[in-house]
Amino acid sequence: MTLRETIETNYKSSLKSKNKMEISTYRLILSSIKDLDILNRSGAGKRETDDGDVKKLLKKMIKQRVESIEIYTKNDRKDLLEVEQNEFDLLSSFLPKQLNEEDTKKICIDTISKLGAESIKDMGKVMGELKKSYPDNLDFAKAGPLLKELLNK
């Protein structure tokens, strides 16, 4: 079952259970996927939307939620914070679990030593290896600054 089919099945289940929060979030996801379908069908590189495209879309939506959560927390907007947090949790359920900071640091150190990276000039090589080895589990927004810190020592 593709990721899109899983989302559609879960959407139908939330309709039956009348869970308004889930229904609105699934509608948002499905609408974004349809927009992506239209974008992929138009232009020179016509192709079907695959699971990789849907994962990228979900990651983008999660990043938006994280930014909103930070703003709402800072401004003490508990009502809006709860909605964003629920959407974040639902969106995150479709992606592999992200590694925590400790594991991310360990993987970065291991990759640096494996490739023999010595300075910030080698960051691109290390980042490329990380993206190849951990495309879904690693938060690259955290890994980038961590690599800079480790390679500047």
Side-chain angles (χ1 to χ4, degrees), residues 7 10-11 14 19-33 58 61-62 65 82-94:
I7 292 169
N10 291 357
Y11 171 61
S14 65
N19 185 332
K20 289 182 180 176
M21 188 285 301
E22 284 186 6
I23 291 170
S24 67
T25 305
Y26 282 123
R27 283 184 177 154
L28 191 65
I29 296 168
L30 291 170
S31 171
S32 297
I33 291 173
L58 291 172
M61 294 174 82
I62 287 171
R65 299 309 174 284
E82 186 180 337
V83 172
E84 292 294 320
Q85 186 62 51
N86 288 334
E87 288 181 2
F88 172 82
D89 293 340
L90 188 78
L91 290 165
S92 298
S93 70
F94 292 105

